[in-house]
Amino acid sequence: MLPALLRHRPAPALAVLVCDTAGALCALALPLALGMTIDRLLGGGAVPWTWIVLCAALVAAETACDAAVTLLGGVHTARLTSRLRELALERLLRTEPRRAAAFPPGDLTTRLTATATAAAGAPVAAAGALCAVLLPLGGLVGIALTDAWTALAFLLGIPPLVLLLRAFTRDTGAVTADYQRTQAVVATRLAEAVDGAATVRAAGTARREQARITEPLGELAAHGRRTWRIHGRAVGLSSVLLPVLTALVLAVAGLRVTAGALSVGELVTVSRYAALAMGIGAVTGALGALARSRAAGERLQPVLALPPPEHRDGALPPGGPGRLDLAGVGVTREGRPLLRDVRLSVPGGSSVAVVGRSGSGKSVLAAVAGRLHDPDSGTVSLDGVPLRDVAPDRLRQEVSYAFAAPVLFGATVADAIAFGAGSPDAAAVRAAARAAEADGFVHLLPRGYDTPMERAPLSGGERQRIGLARAFARPGRLLVLDDATSGLDTATERRVQRALDRFDGRCTRLIVAHRASTAARADRVVWLEDGAVRAVGRHDRLWHDPSYRAVFHGGTDRPDKADTVVPRPGTTAGRGADA
């Protein structure tokens, strides 16, 4: 993931690298300048102001570069974090809902917050790691250029240092990944509990739920302790190795001074370079940050890799009636067929009710009809154009959905109804609310349509009616109602059905139905069983089949009085005959 991050806005990352490298070069030049200054001071003569000024300039330049790295790195990381979150959200919202649903809400929260921040720090961490390694290597080169025998003594300690760094980087990456996974489990369980707070309270299981949420905290603490053990082991080993190596280097350098091979200034230079070469703390810190960023990037990558639905920049024919065709449509999830070779043709402007037992594939059929999901086989077409060939923005203007449990977006009630492709005006919003039987209770809210959503206490049925109004505000040529009237009482549902009837001839309606009264008002009924179409026809004809009646009455053949209906006035038994 690091190469992709470096390709995005490379200039700030390059500036951080340049400043970091410049600071490292200043740090490497300082020991040489300091040694030369000391030799000139000890040699007598005029005060070497030039060398003293050079030393001061190097110190000031190193400090300025470090400050620039901190500032530029912080700004770049913040902007990159924002960009990563935007990309992840875009992928989540553009991909098929089933793919996004594979990530639990709590897990997504951690990936889009802490994980994204850690991943965004990768370019700065990489620059820091590069310069952190540059200092020890430069120090070793400085020692070698000053005195080869002293450099040879230092080389004796390189192999254990390399092994220490390698083990630290590997173990840090592994424990970081484990910590982030456990953190996601805690967040997921907390989100579930908050979402189901009423159920938890009604069941009296608050303590049990609290224990379930906090149970992974022990594992989280174990990962934290493991992190500190890894750091502690690295620091402990380095605290033994480095003093021994320092003593060896200084002993050899001291012997070389005694032998006249090194001056006092060169001894100072060697000691300073040795300190830089042994900067294991800076290296372990930089490599640890890079390992954590890499682990975070690996956790964020599955979200960024979510594929958007393929499409062409096509359009539907203007003025089309909304004819819906499904040819050999099949959907399989985890090896289980949800839809099997569905072949269906819905005339434009008509209404079709989709019925079947729970798990028969009704909602899956509703999803593929408007391309919320893509089928694994077969083709779905609207007015003769495959949905895969229609640009998403154009498709959403022509296909509207209403759901059983709608999520209402927008600052106000009016915004919630207007939410979606296009911008219906205030008159269209109110007309849609009246059609969905929502206008009455909306006027009872504190500020009517201008009531903020957080101050609108809506029941489940009222939320459904707002969701219906949102669909009615822009019906397009295909309107899909996925159990969108299940929370309405019988009288309200019948009034909504009458409003739907007004779309006859100009909007195709696909209605997932659980009530016989809903199926009876449709032009035809699609009866699903185990993901396949068992029959298509008028409700009154299918009603003669006991298995069809059992769909609505839980296995009994006797219909409830409330659901015993006759065809709508103006229809005939032969209308919409079996397709």
Side-chain angles (χ1 to χ4, degrees):
M1 187 175 181
L2 179 59
L5 293 177
L6 290 174
R7 286 194 297 270
H8 176 71
R9 292 177 58 86
L14 182 61
V16 171
L17 179 61
V18 169
C19 291
D20 224 346
T21 304
L25 293 177
C26 290
L28 290 172
L30 182 59
L32 179 60
L34 187 61
M36 297 293 289
T37 302
I38 291 175
D39 279 343
R40 279 163 174 72
L41 286 172
L42 294 178
V47 176
W49 290 110
T50 302
W51 287 98
I52 293 174
V53 171
L54 177 61
C55 290
L58 289 172
V59 171
E62 182 182 0
T63 303
C65 287
D66 290 343
V69 167
T70 301
L71 177 61
L72 293 175
V75 172
H76 181 53
T77 299
R79 289 177 176 172
L80 198 54
T81 299
S82 176
R83 179 57 180 163
L84 283 178
R85 289 172 178 165
E86 289 176 357
L87 287 174
L89 282 173
E90 180 183 4
R91 291 288 184 174
L92 280 168
L93 297 177
R94 284 186 177 273
T95 195
E96 295 182 32
R98 65 180 179 88
R99 296 183 184 275
F103 299 93
D107 181 39
L108 271 179
T109 300
T110 60
R111 291 182 195 241
L112 295 178
T113 52
T115 302
T117 301
V124 175
L130 179 63
C131 293
V133 173
L134 178 62
L135 284 174
L137 291 179
L140 177 58
V141 172
I143 295 174
L145 292 176
T146 304
D147 184 65
W149 287 101
T150 306
L152 182 62
F154 180 81
L155 287 174
L156 295 176
I158 292 298
L161 280 175
V162 171
L163 291 176
L164 177 61
L165 289 175
R166 182 174 180 273
F168 174 79
T169 304
R170 181 191 64 238
D171 295 343
T172 298
V175 73
T176 298
D178 292 340
Y179 187 94
Q180 290 173 347
R181 280 192 292 268
T182 306
Q183 190 179 47
V185 171
V186 176
T188 297
R189 293 184 179 182
L190 179 60
E192 292 171 349
V194 171
D195 190 49
T199 301
V200 171
R201 185 173 182 182
T205 57
R207 290 186 180 275
R208 188 189 311 169
E209 194 63 21
Q210 180 182 2
R212 187 180 76 91
I213 296 169
T214 57
E215 182 267 334
L217 293 180
E219 184 179 352
L220 200 65
H223 294 322
R225 289 192 294 270
R226 182 180 163 200
T227 301
W228 285 111
R229 282 198 299 271
I230 292 171
H231 281 268
R233 184 165 60 247
V235 172
L237 291 174
S238 63
S239 66
V240 173
L241 179 61
L242 295 181
V244 172
L245 186 56
T246 301
L248 177 62
V249 170
L250 292 180
V252 172
L255 291 175
R256 297 287 289 166
V257 171
T258 303
L262 288 178
S263 66
V264 175
E266 289 172 332
L267 175 62
V268 172
T269 299
V270 166
S271 65
R272 296 282 298 180
Y273 277 135
L276 292 176
M278 295 175 194
I280 187 69
V283 176
T284 54
L287 292 179
L290 184 59
R292 289 189 293 273
S293 296
R294 180 180 177 183
E298 290 175 352
R299 276 190 54 77
L300 191 61
Q301 184 59 36
V303 180
L304 297 175
L306 288 172
E310 297 180 3
H311 64 85
R312 298 176 183 175
D313 193 21
L316 296 168
R323 179 183 180 88
L324 179 65
D325 294 289
L326 287 80
V329 168
V331 176
T332 302
R333 296 292 179 265
E334 298 179 355
R336 177 190 170 211
L338 302 183
L339 290 179
R340 296 183 290 117
D341 193 28
V342 174
R343 299 179 183 276
L344 181 65
S345 182
V346 181
S350 66
S351 63
V352 59
V354 182
V355 305
R357 294 182 182 274
S358 177
S360 61
K362 301 185 297 297
S363 290
V364 180
L365 178 61
V368 299
R371 210 191 175 193
L372 291 186
H373 295 174
D374 278 334
D376 297 304
S377 60
T379 304
V380 182
S381 301
L382 188 61
D383 285 329
V385 180
L387 297 188
R388 290 178 180 270
D389 294 344
V390 183
D393 55 341
R394 299 180 183 179
L395 182 63
R396 292 305 149 215
Q397 292 174 358
E398 298 291 349
V399 180
S400 294
Y401 272 89
F403 302 99
V407 177
L408 304 179
F409 296 95
T412 66
V413 174
D415 292 339
I417 297 174
F419 183 83
S423 301
D425 57 25
V429 166
R430 284 164 171 75
R434 285 192 295 272
E437 293 295 315
D439 185 69
F441 71 79
V442 170
H443 278 299
L444 297 177
L445 295 174
R447 295 173 58 186
Y449 285 91
D450 293 327
T451 302
M453 284 303 302
E454 64 271 14
R455 295 182 56 193
L458 302 178
S459 67
E462 289 169 341
R463 296 183 70 88
Q464 274 196 348
R465 281 182 271 175
I466 294 294
L468 284 165
R470 181 172 60 192
F472 290 172
R474 55 180 67 75
R477 65 183 75 190
L478 175 62
L479 178 59
V480 182
L481 273 60
D482 186 2
D483 201 17
T485 60
S486 58
L488 308 185
D489 59 80
T490 303
T492 301
E493 185 190 19
R494 287 179 178 173
R495 290 194 294 270
V496 171
Q497 290 291 341
R498 285 196 293 270
L500 280 171
D501 293 342
R502 292 198 288 269
F503 291 112
D504 270 350
R506 56 190 179 93
C507 175
T508 303
R509 288 138 290 148
L510 184 70
I511 306 166
V512 174
H514 289 83
R515 294 175 178 173
S517 57
T518 304
R521 296 190 67 89
D523 296 322
R524 66 176 62 186
V525 175
V526 176
W527 178 11
L528 292 181
E529 190 171 274
D530 295 329
V533 177
R534 176 164 174 174
V536 179
R538 287 284 303 161
H539 171 76
D540 52 357
R541 287 191 173 187
L542 296 175
W543 191 258
H544 295 295
D545 188 331
S547 297
Y548 179 77
R549 295 198 300 270
V551 170
F552 301 99
H553 303 298
T556 65
D557 291 347
R558 181 178 58 83
D560 293 340
K561 291 182 179 180
D563 281 337
T564 303
V565 296
V566 296
R568 282 184 299 160
T571 64
T572 64
R575 182 183 176 188
D578 294 6

